[in-house]
Amino acid sequence: MDGDVEPVSLQTKERRLGWGLLAPALLWTAAFFVLPFLAMVALSFAHMEGRTIVHGFDAGNYLRAFSDWSQLNALINSVEITLTVTVISVVLAWPLAAIIAWQVPARYQRLALLLAVLPFWTSYVVRSYSWLLVLGKNGVINKALLGMGLVSEPLALASSRTATVIGFVHFFVMLLTLTIYANLIQLSPNYARAARDLGAGKWATFVHVILPLTLPGVITGAFVTFVLCIGDYITPQILGGNAELTLPQLIMLQMGRSGNFPMASALSVILMAVVTLVYAGCSRWLRLDRL
């Protein structure tokens, strides 16, 4: 009888110990994420009367977000830029990760990865302004094109969507390279050998064997890229200017210029909803046991 009681008591102690260790993290998350998020959701249903916030349950902010073209266009711009950056970054990062994993000798791979992550050590603002100098009318690219006679006048590269995409891709290619490399380095060469023994060519081996096995790393990096890119304010503000607003820029305008915090809250909730939908679509590849 005593032998039955002791394991139960031990399990109870272990459960209490587990909850005790988990409690600080849960309290931190509740205090600094859950409660602020719920307050933001509640504020999104308020409305402005002059400069006064009137609380209530009014879905007008959400209706305006999807009926006002300027606001809807900001959401469309954010999604388009983010998808473009994600696709380009994946296309560039996969070969780079493959070169480091398969072509660079093992003793030099750490150095290669170190060189790959160097952009992370640079200030985000400094990096954006550096690209602004490179892409400006008197920047390196325009001077080179003019010097070679390829253009007759400077190209308008800065303060455009192109500049924003370039600035983002420069940063996120490095992030995706790390996640894809982590998958590639774990792949046994026997998979490719087995595919070739069964008659598969190089392209068929890549499409049907290598790529599916690296898909978790690709999707993980692409999802992180999507989340960081769609919520970024600094890069579009510096490189894109205000000619083509993204949703984070519009949210800042609602708070800074208009003082319309309910509208800014509604736009923020919409932004989080988009990220949640993308997460739901990628969830099968984002399981913790695959990271």
Side-chain angles (χ1 to χ4, degrees), residues 100-115:
I100 296 175
W102 295 337
Q103 301 299 325
V104 176
R107 63 180 180 273
Y108 296 126
Q109 287 185 7
R110 290 185 178 181
L111 176 61
L113 290 174
L114 178 64
L115 295 175

Side-chain angles (χ1 to χ4, degrees), residues 13-33:
K13 291 181 179 179
E14 290 178 347
R15 189 179 298 110
R16 290 175 179 175
L17 177 61
W19 281 109
L21 296 174
L22 192 60
L26 292 176
L27 291 174
W28 181 274
T29 303
F32 296 101
F33 178 78

Side-chain angles (χ1 to χ4, degrees), residues 130-146 154-155 157:
S130 298
W131 273 113
L132 190 63
L133 295 175
V134 172
L135 299 172
K137 288 188 176 181
N138 296 318
V140 176
I141 294 179
N142 273 315
K143 285 185 176 180
L145 293 175
L146 290 170
L155 300 177
L157 297 175

Side-chain angles (χ1 to χ4, degrees), residues 221-240:
F223 175 72
V224 174
T225 298
F226 187 95
V227 172
L228 296 177
C229 184
I230 200 170
D232 190 278
Y233 167 78
I234 296 176
T235 300
Q237 183 68 19
I238 296 175
L239 294 177

Side-chain angles (χ1 to χ4, degrees), residues 92-247:
L92 295 178
W94 209 104
L96 179 58
I99 291 172
I100 296 175
W102 295 337
Q103 301 299 325
V104 176
R107 63 180 180 273
Y108 296 126
Q109 287 185 7
R110 290 185 178 181
L111 176 61
L113 290 174
L114 178 64
L115 295 175
V117 300
L118 280 179
F120 288 99
W121 298 358
T122 309
S123 168
Y124 206 61
V125 176
V126 171
R127 187 166 54 249
S128 297
Y129 273 111
S130 298
W131 273 113
L132 190 63
L133 295 175
V134 172
L135 299 172
K137 288 188 176 181
N138 296 318
V140 176
I141 294 179
N142 273 315
K143 285 185 176 180
L145 293 175
L146 290 170
M148 291 185 292
L150 298 178
V151 296
S152 58
E153 58 183 17
L155 300 177
L157 297 175
S159 299
S160 65
R161 177 180 292 199
T162 300
T164 301
V165 171
I166 291 174
F168 274 136
V169 168
H170 174 231
F171 179 78
F172 291 117
V173 162
M174 303 303 118
L175 176 65
L176 275 157
T177 298
L178 294 179
T179 61
I180 298 173
Y181 169 85
N183 268 150
L184 290 176
I185 202 65
Q186 298 178 34
L187 289 183
S188 171
N190 292 329
Y191 291 116
R193 292 170 186 160
R196 287 195 295 270
D197 288 341
L198 294 173
K202 291 183 178 181
W203 178 249
T205 301
F206 172 75
V207 172
H208 299 291
V209 179
I210 303 299
L211 186 58
L213 290 174
T214 61
L215 204 56
V218 173
I219 298 299
T220 300
F223 175 72
V224 174
T225 298
F226 187 95
V227 172
L228 296 177
C229 184
I230 200 170
D232 190 278
Y233 167 78
I234 296 176
T235 300
Q237 183 68 19
I238 296 175
L239 294 177
N242 293 319
E244 190 178 54
L245 290 179
T246 60
L247 199 56

